[in-house]
Amino acid sequence: MAKLVTEDLPYALVMKGGGVKGLAFASAAATLGDYFSFNVFAGTSAGAIAAVLFAFGFSPEEVQAELSTLDFNQFKDASLVGALWNFAVQRGLYPGDTLMRWVDGRLRAKTKLPKPAPILLDDKRRPWRIVIYALSSKHGLLTFDSAGERSSTEAAFAVRCSASIPYFFTPSG
């Protein structure tokens, strides 16, 4: 109760999926930032992409710059034959490896962490808490929390699990 009275509760920005809506999250975060100071970023799918960038210290302007120039077609990382094979065998067209490399590359540029060290959700260079939600046909709801469950997971993998768009990306996690 003392935390409620003193307003010492964390402010969380929660972002849902929706493809290019990720770009809208940057504008919304900039406007909300005039009134609130967020220290937890949570998301799923496109919201997970924005959440991981914010949690690792990207400003709303930087997230907007990253996402406004992003060609989502680059995430179609299989040939026609490969995509059809993936669909028949794994129930999704594309493996999503390019998405993982893109997220990892953005985080490496921000944190200045050289390869091959993985960038984990609980990385100390991450100034704010991040929570990413994913759904797995094998495991049900998966929570990746930098301060809790699966905190030692690679950040890019958590985003990839969350972005398992049915039939577009192959299921992961």
Side-chain angles (χ1 to χ4, degrees):
M1 186 64 163
K3 283 188 176 259
L4 183 63
V5 172
T6 62
E7 297 183 5
D8 195 26
L9 293 171
Y11 283 106
L13 181 59
V14 180
M15 298 164 278
K16 67 178 190 168
V20 295
K21 276 192 223 172
L23 186 56
F25 297 139
S27 297
T31 301
L32 290 169
D34 292 340
Y35 305 96
F36 301 99
S37 179
F38 297 104
N39 52 6
V40 179
F41 295 94
T44 185
S45 197
I49 294 171
V52 78
L53 295 176
F54 286 133
F56 274 87
F58 282 76
S59 68
E61 295 77 21
E62 289 173 316
V63 172
Q64 190 165 22
E66 289 289 348
L67 297 181
S68 66
T69 60
L70 181 61
D71 177 10
F72 287 91
N73 284 319
Q74 71 178 310
F75 300 138
K76 296 178 179 178
D77 52 357
S79 66
L80 177 61
V81 172
L84 293 174
W85 175 260
N86 290 340
F87 188 80
V89 175
Q90 299 181 44
R91 296 177 298 140
L93 297 168
Y94 306 104
D97 296 334
T98 303
L99 172 61
M100 282 181 53
R101 283 192 300 274
W102 183 86
V103 170
D104 187 68
R106 305 289 78 72
L107 298 182
R108 278 185 197 289
K110 189 68 170 178
T111 62
K112 310 283 193 258
L113 186 67
K115 285 190 175 186
I119 297 178
L120 306 178
L121 290 175
D122 62 0
D123 190 290
K124 301 307 178 220
R125 286 170 286 269
R126 175 199 37 78
W128 296 286
R129 182 176 174 195
I130 181 168
V131 181
I132 295 175
Y133 296 99
L135 191 60
S136 166
S137 59
K138 292 180 188 174
H139 307 290
L141 177 66
L142 297 174
T143 303
F144 298 91
D145 186 342
S146 63
E149 292 180 80
R150 298 177 184 83
S151 62
S152 61
T153 301
E154 286 191 45
F157 178 75
V159 169
R160 167 59 186 92
C161 287
S162 185
S164 290
I165 302 165
Y167 305 114
F168 186 81
F169 285 129
T170 58
S172 66

